[in-house]
Amino acid sequence: MDVQQVRLNGLTKLFGSERKSDIVPRIYEGGFRVWDGACDMLSFLSTEKSVDLSGKKVLELGCGAGLPAIYALANGATVHLHDYNSDVIELATIPNIRRNMAASASEGRVKLYSGDWMAFVAHLRQNSHVVDEYRKFDVILTSDTVYRKDVLEKLCSILPSLLRKNGLALVAGKSHYFGLDGGTDAFREALTKQGLLTVTASREYPDSLRREILTVEWKA
Protein backbone atom coordinates (compact mmCIF):
# COMPACT_ATOMS: atom_id res chain seq x y z
CA MET A 1 0.00 0.00 0.00
CA ASP A 2 1.42 3.39 -0.98
CA VAL A 3 1.52 5.97 1.80
CA GLN A 4 0.85 9.69 1.41
CA GLN A 5 1.50 12.36 4.01
CA VAL A 6 -0.12 15.79 3.96
CA ARG A 7 -0.19 18.76 6.31
CA LEU A 8 -3.50 20.05 7.62
CA ASN A 9 -3.45 23.12 9.88
CA GLY A 10 -0.29 22.00 11.61
CA LEU A 11 -1.37 18.34 11.74
CA THR A 12 0.43 15.61 9.85
CA LYS A 13 -1.96 13.26 8.08
CA LEU A 14 -0.88 9.95 6.54
CA PHE A 15 -3.13 8.07 4.11
CA GLY A 16 -2.92 4.72 2.39
CA SER A 17 -3.77 4.66 -1.31
CA GLU A 18 -6.36 1.91 -0.70
CA ARG A 19 -9.42 3.87 0.39
CA LYS A 20 -11.35 1.46 2.61
CA SER A 21 -14.17 2.48 4.60
CA ASP A 22 -14.75 -0.26 9.18
CA ILE A 23 -19.36 -2.89 11.24
CA VAL A 24 -19.45 -3.99 7.70
CA PRO A 25 -16.39 -6.21 8.21
CA ARG A 26 -13.30 -4.83 6.53
CA ILE A 27 -15.36 -1.99 5.05
CA TYR A 28 -16.70 0.15 7.92
CA GLU A 29 -15.84 -0.59 11.57
CA GLY A 30 -17.92 1.99 13.39
CA GLY A 31 -15.49 4.89 13.65
CA PHE A 32 -18.16 7.62 13.58
CA ARG A 33 -19.72 6.40 16.83
CA VAL A 34 -18.25 7.03 20.28
CA TRP A 35 -18.43 3.56 21.85
CA ASP A 36 -18.58 2.69 25.57
CA GLY A 37 -14.93 1.65 25.56
CA ALA A 38 -13.72 5.13 24.63
CA CYS A 39 -15.69 6.61 27.54
CA ASP A 40 -14.30 3.95 29.88
CA MET A 41 -10.78 4.67 28.64
CA LEU A 42 -11.21 8.39 29.31
CA SER A 43 -12.48 7.65 32.80
CA PHE A 44 -9.50 5.38 33.46
CA LEU A 45 -6.88 7.80 32.12
CA SER A 46 -8.30 10.71 34.10
CA THR A 47 -8.36 8.83 37.42
CA GLU A 48 -5.50 6.31 37.23
CA LYS A 49 -2.48 8.17 38.62
CA SER A 50 -0.02 5.43 37.68
CA VAL A 51 -0.46 6.20 33.96
CA ASP A 52 1.84 9.14 33.17
CA LEU A 53 1.26 10.55 29.68
CA SER A 54 3.45 13.65 29.82
CA GLY A 55 6.28 13.48 27.30
CA LYS A 56 5.18 10.03 26.11
CA LYS A 57 4.72 8.83 22.56
CA VAL A 58 1.12 7.58 22.42
CA LEU A 59 -0.72 5.61 19.73
CA GLU A 60 -4.49 5.21 19.59
CA LEU A 61 -5.60 2.33 17.38
CA GLY A 62 -9.16 2.40 16.05
CA CYS A 63 -9.29 6.01 17.17
CA GLY A 64 -12.63 7.14 15.72
CA ALA A 65 -13.32 10.52 17.36
CA GLY A 66 -9.93 10.26 19.07
CA LEU A 67 -11.06 11.27 22.56
CA PRO A 68 -8.50 9.22 24.56
CA ALA A 69 -5.68 10.45 22.30
CA ILE A 70 -6.88 14.03 22.65
CA TYR A 71 -6.81 13.59 26.43
CA ALA A 72 -3.22 12.33 26.12
CA LEU A 73 -2.35 15.28 23.89
CA ALA A 74 -3.79 17.73 26.43
CA ASN A 75 -1.62 16.06 29.08
CA GLY A 76 1.66 16.54 27.28
CA ALA A 77 1.94 13.50 25.01
CA THR A 78 2.84 13.30 21.34
CA VAL A 79 -0.01 11.36 19.75
CA HIS A 80 -0.45 9.15 16.70
CA LEU A 81 -4.04 8.29 15.79
CA HIS A 82 -5.01 5.44 13.48
CA ASP A 83 -8.40 4.47 12.09
CA TYR A 84 -9.28 2.00 9.36
CA ASN A 85 -11.29 4.62 7.46
CA SER A 86 -9.85 7.78 5.98
CA ASP A 87 -13.34 9.33 6.08
CA VAL A 88 -13.38 8.91 9.87
CA ILE A 89 -10.01 10.67 10.15
CA GLU A 90 -11.23 13.46 7.87
CA LEU A 91 -14.72 13.99 9.29
CA ALA A 92 -14.43 12.96 12.96
CA THR A 93 -10.85 12.79 14.25
CA ILE A 94 -9.45 16.03 12.83
CA PRO A 95 -12.52 18.17 13.69
CA ASN A 96 -12.44 16.81 17.25
CA ILE A 97 -8.76 17.70 17.65
CA ARG A 98 -9.47 21.18 16.35
CA ARG A 99 -12.39 21.66 18.73
CA ASN A 100 -10.44 20.52 21.75
CA MET A 101 -6.91 21.78 21.15
CA ALA A 102 -5.51 25.10 20.01
CA ALA A 103 -3.45 24.70 16.84
CA SER A 104 -0.40 26.13 18.60
CA ALA A 105 -0.73 23.54 21.39
CA SER A 106 -0.86 20.56 19.03
CA GLU A 107 1.68 21.78 16.45
CA GLY A 108 4.16 19.02 15.67
CA ARG A 109 2.64 16.61 18.21
CA VAL A 110 -0.06 14.92 16.10
CA LYS A 111 0.11 12.35 13.31
CA LEU A 112 -2.90 10.65 11.74
CA TYR A 113 -3.05 7.43 9.77
CA SER A 114 -5.69 5.39 7.95
CA GLY A 115 -5.74 1.92 6.43
CA ASP A 116 -5.09 -1.62 7.57
CA TRP A 117 -3.05 -2.23 10.74
CA MET A 118 -0.62 -4.50 8.92
CA ALA A 119 0.11 -1.78 6.36
CA PHE A 120 0.72 0.65 9.23
CA VAL A 121 3.27 -1.73 10.78
CA ALA A 122 4.90 -2.22 7.38
CA HIS A 123 5.20 1.56 7.03
CA LEU A 124 6.95 1.82 10.40
CA ARG A 125 9.36 -0.97 9.45
CA GLN A 126 10.72 1.15 6.59
CA ASN A 127 12.06 -1.77 4.53
CA SER A 128 13.37 -3.58 7.62
CA HIS A 129 12.13 -6.88 9.06
CA VAL A 130 11.26 -5.29 12.41
CA VAL A 131 10.09 -1.92 13.70
CA ASP A 132 12.98 0.02 15.22
CA GLU A 133 12.55 0.64 18.96
CA TYR A 134 12.67 4.41 18.31
CA ARG A 135 9.57 4.13 16.12
CA LYS A 136 7.59 2.18 18.70
CA PHE A 137 5.27 3.65 21.32
CA ASP A 138 5.36 4.19 25.08
CA VAL A 139 1.59 3.90 25.43
CA ILE A 140 -0.94 2.26 23.09
CA LEU A 141 -4.65 2.96 23.60
CA THR A 142 -7.44 1.03 21.91
CA SER A 143 -11.15 0.82 22.68
CA ASP A 144 -13.72 -1.72 21.49
CA THR A 145 -11.37 -3.17 18.89
CA VAL A 146 -11.68 -6.72 20.26
CA TYR A 147 -15.29 -7.28 19.15
CA ARG A 148 -14.43 -9.81 16.45
CA LYS A 149 -12.00 -12.71 16.67
CA ASP A 150 -10.15 -11.92 13.45
CA VAL A 151 -9.66 -8.29 14.58
CA LEU A 152 -8.47 -9.15 18.10
CA GLU A 153 -6.07 -11.74 16.69
CA LYS A 154 -4.62 -9.11 14.37
CA LEU A 155 -4.29 -6.74 17.35
CA CYS A 156 -2.40 -9.46 19.24
CA SER A 157 -0.08 -9.94 16.28
CA ILE A 158 0.84 -6.26 15.88
CA LEU A 159 1.23 -5.21 19.53
CA PRO A 160 4.76 -6.71 19.86
CA SER A 161 5.78 -4.71 16.77
CA LEU A 162 4.47 -1.43 18.18
CA LEU A 163 5.06 -1.50 21.94
CA ARG A 164 8.34 -0.39 23.47
CA LYS A 165 9.96 -2.77 25.95
CA ASN A 166 9.05 -0.59 28.93
CA GLY A 167 5.71 0.50 27.49
CA LEU A 168 2.11 -0.46 28.15
CA ALA A 169 -1.01 -0.94 26.09
CA LEU A 170 -4.47 -0.24 27.49
CA VAL A 171 -7.37 -2.14 25.93
CA ALA A 172 -10.97 -1.15 26.71
CA GLY A 173 -13.74 -3.55 25.80
CA LYS A 174 -16.62 -5.81 26.79
CA SER A 175 -16.30 -9.41 27.92
CA HIS A 176 -18.23 -10.38 24.79
CA TYR A 177 -20.25 -8.71 22.05
CA PHE A 178 -23.70 -10.01 21.15
CA GLY A 179 -23.77 -11.72 17.77
CA LEU A 180 -19.99 -11.57 17.39
CA ASP A 181 -17.15 -13.90 18.36
CA GLY A 182 -14.84 -11.45 20.14
CA GLY A 183 -14.49 -9.78 23.52
CA THR A 184 -11.93 -9.16 26.25
CA ASP A 185 -12.06 -12.81 27.35
CA ALA A 186 -11.17 -13.98 23.85
CA PHE A 187 -8.47 -11.30 23.58
CA ARG A 188 -6.94 -12.35 26.91
CA GLU A 189 -6.90 -15.97 25.76
CA ALA A 190 -5.30 -15.15 22.39
CA LEU A 191 -2.63 -12.91 23.89
CA THR A 192 -1.77 -15.46 26.58
CA LYS A 193 -1.46 -18.15 23.92
CA GLN A 194 0.94 -15.92 21.96
CA GLY A 195 3.25 -15.94 24.98
CA LEU A 196 5.09 -12.63 24.49
CA LEU A 197 3.01 -10.19 26.54
CA THR A 198 1.16 -10.24 29.85
CA VAL A 199 -2.40 -9.04 30.28
CA THR A 200 -4.10 -8.00 33.52
CA ALA A 201 -7.45 -6.43 34.30
CA SER A 202 -6.83 -2.94 35.68
CA ARG A 203 -10.44 -1.86 36.12
CA GLU A 204 -13.96 -3.21 35.69
CA TYR A 205 -17.11 -1.23 34.95
CA PRO A 206 -20.26 -2.99 36.20
CA ASP A 207 -22.93 -3.40 33.54
CA SER A 208 -25.17 -6.07 32.07
CA LEU A 209 -21.99 -7.07 30.22
CA ARG A 210 -18.63 -6.84 31.99
CA ARG A 211 -16.67 -3.89 30.66
CA GLU A 212 -13.03 -3.60 31.58
CA ILE A 213 -9.68 -1.97 30.97
CA LEU A 214 -6.88 -4.45 30.32
CA THR A 215 -3.21 -3.55 30.74
CA VAL A 216 -0.78 -5.26 28.37
CA GLU A 217 2.98 -5.26 29.01
CA TRP A 218 6.04 -7.22 27.95
CA LYS A 219 6.84 -10.29 30.01
CA ALA A 220 9.65 -9.69 32.50
mmCIF file with all atom_site columns, all heavy atoms in Angstrom, residues 39-51 170 202-203 205 213 215:
data_model
loop_
_atom_site.group_PDB
_atom_site.id
_atom_site.type_symbol
_atom_site.label_atom_id
_atom_site.label_alt_id
_atom_site.label_comp_id
_atom_site.label_asym_id
_atom_site.label_entity_id
_atom_site.label_seq_id
_atom_site.pdbx_PDB_ins_code
_atom_site.Cartn_x
_atom_site.Cartn_y
_atom_site.Cartn_z
_atom_site.occupancy
_atom_site.B_iso_or_equiv
_atom_site.pdbx_formal_charge
_atom_site.auth_seq_id
_atom_site.auth_comp_id
_atom_site.auth_asym_id
_atom_site.auth_atom_id
_atom_site.pdbx_PDB_model_num
ATOM 1   N N   . CYS A 1 39  ? -15.297 5.902  26.316 1.00 0.00 ? 39  CYS A N   1
ATOM 2   C CA  . CYS A 1 39  ? -15.692 6.613  27.544 1.00 0.00 ? 39  CYS A CA  1
ATOM 3   C C   . CYS A 1 39  ? -15.026 5.978  28.760 1.00 0.00 ? 39  CYS A C   1
ATOM 4   O O   . CYS A 1 39  ? -14.552 6.691  29.660 1.00 0.00 ? 39  CYS A O   1
ATOM 5   C CB  . CYS A 1 39  ? -17.206 6.599  27.688 1.00 0.00 ? 39  CYS A CB  1
ATOM 6   S SG  . CYS A 1 39  ? -18.078 7.419  26.339 1.00 0.00 ? 39  CYS A SG  1
ATOM 7   N N   . ASP A 1 40  ? -14.973 4.642  28.789 1.00 0.00 ? 40  ASP A N   1
ATOM 8   C CA  . ASP A 1 40  ? -14.298 3.953  29.883 1.00 0.00 ? 40  ASP A CA  1
ATOM 9   C C   . ASP A 1 40  ? -12.809 4.287  29.896 1.00 0.00 ? 40  ASP A C   1
ATOM 10  O O   . ASP A 1 40  ? -12.210 4.483  30.964 1.00 0.00 ? 40  ASP A O   1
ATOM 11  C CB  . ASP A 1 40  ? -14.482 2.437  29.760 1.00 0.00 ? 40  ASP A CB  1
ATOM 12  C CG  . ASP A 1 40  ? -15.914 1.992  29.978 1.00 0.00 ? 40  ASP A CG  1
ATOM 13  O OD1 . ASP A 1 40  ? -16.708 2.771  30.550 1.00 0.00 ? 40  ASP A OD1 1
ATOM 14  O OD2 . ASP A 1 40  ? -16.247 0.859  29.562 1.00 0.00 ? 40  ASP A OD2 1
ATOM 15  N N   . MET A 1 41  ? -12.208 4.347  28.726 1.00 0.00 ? 41  MET A N   1
ATOM 16  C CA  . MET A 1 41  ? -10.781 4.671  28.637 1.00 0.00 ? 41  MET A CA  1
ATOM 17  C C   . MET A 1 41  ? -10.513 6.077  29.169 1.00 0.00 ? 41  MET A C   1
ATOM 18  O O   . MET A 1 41  ? -9.553  6.307  29.914 1.00 0.00 ? 41  MET A O   1
ATOM 19  C CB  . MET A 1 41  ? -10.301 4.551  27.190 1.00 0.00 ? 41  MET A CB  1
ATOM 20  C CG  . MET A 1 41  ? -8.812  4.801  27.004 1.00 0.00 ? 41  MET A CG  1
ATOM 21  S SD  . MET A 1 41  ? -7.764  3.481  27.683 1.00 0.00 ? 41  MET A SD  1
ATOM 22  C CE  . MET A 1 41  ? -7.956  2.246  26.385 1.00 0.00 ? 41  MET A CE  1
ATOM 23  N N   . LEU A 1 42  ? -11.362 7.027  28.802 1.00 0.00 ? 42  LEU A N   1
ATOM 24  C CA  . LEU A 1 42  ? -11.214 8.391  29.306 1.00 0.00 ? 42  LEU A CA  1
ATOM 25  C C   . LEU A 1 42  ? -11.328 8.426  30.822 1.00 0.00 ? 42  LEU A C   1
ATOM 26  O O   . LEU A 1 42  ? -10.548 9.104  31.505 1.00 0.00 ? 42  LEU A O   1
ATOM 27  C CB  . LEU A 1 42  ? -12.275 9.302  28.684 1.00 0.00 ? 42  LEU A CB  1
ATOM 28  C CG  . LEU A 1 42  ? -11.987 9.854  27.299 1.00 0.00 ? 42  LEU A CG  1
ATOM 29  C CD1 . LEU A 1 42  ? -13.207 10.612 26.786 1.00 0.00 ? 42  LEU A CD1 1
ATOM 30  C CD2 . LEU A 1 42  ? -10.778 10.780 27.324 1.00 0.00 ? 42  LEU A CD2 1
ATOM 31  N N   . SER A 1 43  ? -12.309 7.708  31.355 1.00 0.00 ? 43  SER A N   1
ATOM 32  C CA  . SER A 1 43  ? -12.482 7.646  32.803 1.00 0.00 ? 43  SER A CA  1
ATOM 33  C C   . SER A 1 43  ? -11.243 7.073  33.470 1.00 0.00 ? 43  SER A C   1
ATOM 34  O O   . SER A 1 43  ? -10.766 7.590  34.499 1.00 0.00 ? 43  SER A O   1
ATOM 35  C CB  . SER A 1 43  ? -13.707 6.789  33.141 1.00 0.00 ? 43  SER A CB  1
ATOM 36  O OG  . SER A 1 43  ? -13.800 6.566  34.527 1.00 0.00 ? 43  SER A OG  1
ATOM 37  N N   . PHE A 1 44  ? -10.688 6.016  32.891 1.00 0.00 ? 44  PHE A N   1
ATOM 38  C CA  . PHE A 1 44  ? -9.504  5.379  33.460 1.00 0.00 ? 44  PHE A CA  1
ATOM 39  C C   . PHE A 1 44  ? -8.303  6.313  33.422 1.00 0.00 ? 44  PHE A C   1
ATOM 40  O O   . PHE A 1 44  ? -7.596  6.491  34.419 1.00 0.00 ? 44  PHE A O   1
ATOM 41  C CB  . PHE A 1 44  ? -9.202  4.091  32.696 1.00 0.00 ? 44  PHE A CB  1
ATOM 42  C CG  . PHE A 1 44  ? -8.027  3.332  33.222 1.00 0.00 ? 44  PHE A CG  1
ATOM 43  C CD1 . PHE A 1 44  ? -8.146  2.540  34.355 1.00 0.00 ? 44  PHE A CD1 1
ATOM 44  C CD2 . PHE A 1 44  ? -6.799  3.398  32.590 1.00 0.00 ? 44  PHE A CD2 1
ATOM 45  C CE1 . PHE A 1 44  ? -7.058  1.829  34.849 1.00 0.00 ? 44  PHE A CE1 1
ATOM 46  C CE2 . PHE A 1 44  ? -5.704  2.707  33.071 1.00 0.00 ? 44  PHE A CE2 1
ATOM 47  C CZ  . PHE A 1 44  ? -5.831  1.908  34.203 1.00 0.00 ? 44  PHE A CZ  1
ATOM 48  N N   . LEU A 1 45  ? -8.053  6.926  32.262 1.00 0.00 ? 45  LEU A N   1
ATOM 49  C CA  . LEU A 1 45  ? -6.884  7.804  32.119 1.00 0.00 ? 45  LEU A CA  1
ATOM 50  C C   . LEU A 1 45  ? -6.952  9.000  33.063 1.00 0.00 ? 45  LEU A C   1
ATOM 51  O O   . LEU A 1 45  ? -5.927  9.454  33.581 1.00 0.00 ? 45  LEU A O   1
ATOM 52  C CB  . LEU A 1 45  ? -6.771  8.293  30.673 1.00 0.00 ? 45  LEU A CB  1
ATOM 53  C CG  . LEU A 1 45  ? -6.437  7.242  29.612 1.00 0.00 ? 45  LEU A CG  1
ATOM 54  C CD1 . LEU A 1 45  ? -6.487  7.855  28.221 1.00 0.00 ? 45  LEU A CD1 1
ATOM 55  C CD2 . LEU A 1 45  ? -5.067  6.610  29.871 1.00 0.00 ? 45  LEU A CD2 1
ATOM 56  N N   . SER A 1 46  ? -8.151  9.501  33.285 1.00 0.00 ? 46  SER A N   1
ATOM 57  C CA  . SER A 1 46  ? -8.297  10.711 34.103 1.00 0.00 ? 46  SER A CA  1
ATOM 58  C C   . SER A 1 46  ? -8.245  10.426 35.606 1.00 0.00 ? 46  SER A C   1
ATOM 59  O O   . SER A 1 46  ? -8.104  11.359 36.400 1.00 0.00 ? 46  SER A O   1
ATOM 60  C CB  . SER A 1 46  ? -9.607  11.421 33.763 1.00 0.00 ? 46  SER A CB  1
ATOM 61  O OG  . SER A 1 46  ? -10.724 10.606 34.068 1.00 0.00 ? 46  SER A OG  1
ATOM 62  N N   . THR A 1 47  ? -8.330  9.159  35.989 1.00 0.00 ? 47  THR A N   1
ATOM 63  C CA  . THR A 1 47  ? -8.360  8.828  37.423 1.00 0.00 ? 47  THR A CA  1
ATOM 64  C C   . THR A 1 47  ? -7.228  7.899  37.853 1.00 0.00 ? 47  THR A C   1
ATOM 65  O O   . THR A 1 47  ? -6.974  7.777  39.053 1.00 0.00 ? 47  THR A O   1
ATOM 66  C CB  . THR A 1 47  ? -9.701  8.172  37.809 1.00 0.00 ? 47  THR A CB  1
ATOM 67  O OG1 . THR A 1 47  ? -9.921  7.008  37.001 1.00 0.00 ? 47  THR A OG1 1
ATOM 68  C CG2 . THR A 1 47  ? -10.858 9.146  37.596 1.00 0.00 ? 47  THR A CG2 1
ATOM 69  N N   . GLU A 1 48  ? -6.568  7.255  36.906 1.00 0.00 ? 48  GLU A N   1
ATOM 70  C CA  . GLU A 1 48  ? -5.500  6.312  37.233 1.00 0.00 ? 48  GLU A CA  1
ATOM 71  C C   . GLU A 1 48  ? -4.153  7.044  37.271 1.00 0.00 ? 48  GLU A C   1
ATOM 72  O O   . GLU A 1 48  ? -3.564  7.338  36.234 1.00 0.00 ? 48  GLU A O   1
ATOM 73  C CB  . GLU A 1 48  ? -5.466  5.177  36.207 1.00 0.00 ? 48  GLU A CB  1
ATOM 74  C CG  . GLU A 1 48  ? -4.410  4.121  36.482 1.00 0.00 ? 48  GLU A CG  1
ATOM 75  C CD  . GLU A 1 48  ? -4.499  3.541  37.882 1.00 0.00 ? 48  GLU A CD  1
ATOM 76  O OE1 . GLU A 1 48  ? -5.576  3.034  38.270 1.00 0.00 ? 48  GLU A OE1 1
ATOM 77  O OE2 . GLU A 1 48  ? -3.478  3.604  38.586 1.00 0.00 ? 48  GLU A OE2 1
ATOM 78  N N   . LYS A 1 49  ? -3.679  7.340  38.458 1.00 0.00 ? 49  LYS A N   1
ATOM 79  C CA  . LYS A 1 49  ? -2.481  8.168  38.618 1.00 0.00 ? 49  LYS A CA  1
ATOM 80  C C   . LYS A 1 49  ? -1.207  7.466  38.181 1.00 0.00 ? 49  LYS A C   1
ATOM 81  O O   . LYS A 1 49  ? -0.193  8.121  37.932 1.00 0.00 ? 49  LYS A O   1
ATOM 82  C CB  . LYS A 1 49  ? -2.346  8.614  40.087 1.00 0.00 ? 49  LYS A CB  1
ATOM 83  C CG  . LYS A 1 49  ? -3.561  9.375  40.615 1.00 0.00 ? 49  LYS A CG  1
ATOM 84  C CD  . LYS A 1 49  ? -3.894  10.576 39.741 1.00 0.00 ? 49  LYS A CD  1
ATOM 85  C CE  . LYS A 1 49  ? -5.095  11.344 40.277 1.00 0.00 ? 49  LYS A CE  1
ATOM 86  N NZ  . LYS A 1 49  ? -5.503  12.441 39.365 1.00 0.00 ? 49  LYS A NZ  1
ATOM 87  N N   . SER A 1 50  ? -1.234  6.145  38.067 1.00 0.00 ? 50  SER A N   1
ATOM 88  C CA  . SER A 1 50  ? -0.024  5.426  37.682 1.00 0.00 ? 50  SER A CA  1
ATOM 89  C C   . SER A 1 50  ? 0.282   5.556  36.190 1.00 0.00 ? 50  SER A C   1
ATOM 90  O O   . SER A 1 50  ? 1.393   5.218  35.755 1.00 0.00 ? 50  SER A O   1
ATOM 91  C CB  . SER A 1 50  ? -0.149  3.944  38.048 1.00 0.00 ? 50  SER A CB  1
ATOM 92  O OG  . SER A 1 50  ? -1.172  3.320  37.283 1.00 0.00 ? 50  SER A OG  1
ATOM 93  N N   . VAL A 1 51  ? -0.670  6.038  35.401 1.00 0.00 ? 51  VAL A N   1
ATOM 94  C CA  . VAL A 1 51  ? -0.459  6.202  33.959 1.00 0.00 ? 51  VAL A CA  1
ATOM 95  C C   . VAL A 1 51  ? -0.020  7.640  33.704 1.00 0.00 ? 51  VAL A C   1
ATOM 96  O O   . VAL A 1 51  ? -0.819  8.575  33.763 1.00 0.00 ? 51  VAL A O   1
ATOM 97  C CB  . VAL A 1 51  ? -1.732  5.879  33.160 1.00 0.00 ? 51  VAL A CB  1
ATOM 98  C CG1 . VAL A 1 51  ? -1.478  6.069  31.671 1.00 0.00 ? 51  VAL A CG1 1
ATOM 99  C CG2 . VAL A 1 51  ? -2.190  4.453  33.447 1.00 0.00 ? 51  VAL A CG2 1
ATOM 100 N N   . LEU A 1 170 ? -3.212  -0.197 26.753 1.00 0.00 ? 170 LEU A N   1
ATOM 101 C CA  . LEU A 1 170 ? -4.473  -0.235 27.485 1.00 0.00 ? 170 LEU A CA  1
ATOM 102 C C   . LEU A 1 170 ? -5.583  -0.576 26.504 1.00 0.00 ? 170 LEU A C   1
ATOM 103 O O   . LEU A 1 170 ? -5.746  0.098  25.482 1.00 0.00 ? 170 LEU A O   1
ATOM 104 C CB  . LEU A 1 170 ? -4.747  1.111  28.155 1.00 0.00 ? 170 LEU A CB  1
ATOM 105 C CG  . LEU A 1 170 ? -3.719  1.547  29.205 1.00 0.00 ? 170 LEU A CG  1
ATOM 106 C CD1 . LEU A 1 170 ? -4.005  2.968  29.670 1.00 0.00 ? 170 LEU A CD1 1
ATOM 107 C CD2 . LEU A 1 170 ? -3.710  0.587  30.390 1.00 0.00 ? 170 LEU A CD2 1
ATOM 108 N N   . SER A 1 202 ? -7.149  -4.067 34.822 1.00 0.00 ? 202 SER A N   1
ATOM 109 C CA  . SER A 1 202 ? -6.832  -2.935 35.679 1.00 0.00 ? 202 SER A CA  1
ATOM 110 C C   . SER A 1 202 ? -8.076  -2.282 36.264 1.00 0.00 ? 202 SER A C   1
ATOM 111 O O   . SER A 1 202 ? -8.009  -1.647 37.308 1.00 0.00 ? 202 SER A O   1
ATOM 112 C CB  . SER A 1 202 ? -6.031  -1.885 34.896 1.00 0.00 ? 202 SER A CB  1
ATOM 113 O OG  . SER A 1 202 ? -4.754  -2.395 34.570 1.00 0.00 ? 202 SER A OG  1
ATOM 114 N N   . ARG A 1 203 ? -9.205  -2.420 35.588 1.00 0.00 ? 203 ARG A N   1
ATOM 115 C CA  . ARG A 1 203 ? -10.444 -1.860 36.121 1.00 0.00 ? 203 ARG A CA  1
ATOM 116 C C   . ARG A 1 203 ? -11.638 -2.519 35.448 1.00 0.00 ? 203 ARG A C   1
ATOM 117 O O   . ARG A 1 203 ? -11.580 -2.853 34.268 1.00 0.00 ? 203 ARG A O   1
ATOM 118 C CB  . ARG A 1 203 ? -10.500 -0.346 35.912 1.00 0.00 ? 203 ARG A CB  1
ATOM 119 C CG  . ARG A 1 203 ? -11.705 0.316  36.604 1.00 0.00 ? 203 ARG A CG  1
ATOM 120 C CD  . ARG A 1 203 ? -11.601 1.828  36.584 1.00 0.00 ? 203 ARG A CD  1
ATOM 121 N NE  . ARG A 1 203 ? -10.389 2.287  37.274 1.00 0.00 ? 203 ARG A NE  1
ATOM 122 C CZ  . ARG A 1 203 ? -10.046 3.574  37.344 1.00 0.00 ? 203 ARG A CZ  1
ATOM 123 N NH1 . ARG A 1 203 ? -10.800 4.491  36.768 1.00 0.00 ? 203 ARG A NH1 1
ATOM 124 N NH2 . ARG A 1 203 ? -8.945  3.918  37.986 1.00 0.00 ? 203 ARG A NH2 1
ATOM 125 N N   . TYR A 1 205 ? -15.960 -2.125 34.900 1.00 0.00 ? 205 TYR A N   1
ATOM 126 C CA  . TYR A 1 205 ? -17.112 -1.229 34.953 1.00 0.00 ? 205 TYR A CA  1
ATOM 127 C C   . TYR A 1 205 ? -18.373 -2.088 34.967 1.00 0.00 ? 205 TYR A C   1
ATOM 128 O O   . TYR A 1 205 ? -18.684 -2.740 33.968 1.00 0.00 ? 205 TYR A O   1
ATOM 129 C CB  . TYR A 1 205 ? -17.108 -0.275 33.752 1.00 0.00 ? 205 TYR A CB  1
ATOM 130 C CG  . TYR A 1 205 ? -15.926 0.671  33.752 1.00 0.00 ? 205 TYR A CG  1
ATOM 131 C CD1 . TYR A 1 205 ? -14.720 0.311  33.149 1.00 0.00 ? 205 TYR A CD1 1
ATOM 132 C CD2 . TYR A 1 205 ? -16.012 1.906  34.368 1.00 0.00 ? 205 TYR A CD2 1
ATOM 133 C CE1 . TYR A 1 205 ? -13.635 1.173  33.151 1.00 0.00 ? 205 TYR A CE1 1
ATOM 134 C CE2 . TYR A 1 205 ? -14.927 2.773  34.384 1.00 0.00 ? 205 TYR A CE2 1
ATOM 135 C CZ  . TYR A 1 205 ? -13.746 2.400  33.772 1.00 0.00 ? 205 TYR A CZ  1
ATOM 136 O OH  . TYR A 1 205 ? -12.666 3.263  33.794 1.00 0.00 ? 205 TYR A OH  1
ATOM 137 N N   . ILE A 1 213 ? -10.915 -2.482 31.543 1.00 0.00 ? 213 ILE A N   1
ATOM 138 C CA  . ILE A 1 213 ? -9.676  -1.968 30.968 1.00 0.00 ? 213 ILE A CA  1
ATOM 139 C C   . ILE A 1 213 ? -8.596  -3.002 31.248 1.00 0.00 ? 213 ILE A C   1
ATOM 140 O O   . ILE A 1 213 ? -8.343  -3.363 32.399 1.00 0.00 ? 213 ILE A O   1
ATOM 141 C CB  . ILE A 1 213 ? -9.260  -0.623 31.598 1.00 0.00 ? 213 ILE A CB  1
ATOM 142 C CG1 . ILE A 1 213 ? -10.377 0.419  31.484 1.00 0.00 ? 213 ILE A CG1 1
ATOM 143 C CG2 . ILE A 1 213 ? -7.962  -0.123 30.954 1.00 0.00 ? 213 ILE A CG2 1
ATOM 144 C CD1 . ILE A 1 213 ? -10.647 0.915  30.094 1.00 0.00 ? 213 ILE A CD1 1
ATOM 145 N N   . THR A 1 215 ? -4.559  -4.078 30.908 1.00 0.00 ? 215 THR A N   1
ATOM 146 C CA  . THR A 1 215 ? -3.212  -3.549 30.741 1.00 0.00 ? 215 THR A CA  1
ATOM 147 C C   . THR A 1 215 ? -2.327  -4.643 30.158 1.00 0.00 ? 215 THR A C   1
ATOM 148 O O   . THR A 1 215 ? -2.263  -5.752 30.698 1.00 0.00 ? 215 THR A O   1
ATOM 149 C CB  . THR A 1 215 ? -2.623  -3.069 32.083 1.00 0.00 ? 215 THR A CB  1
ATOM 150 O OG1 . THR A 1 215 ? -3.428  -1.981 32.576 1.00 0.00 ? 215 THR A OG1 1
ATOM 151 C CG2 . THR A 1 215 ? -1.194  -2.575 31.912 1.00 0.00 ? 215 THR A CG2 1
#
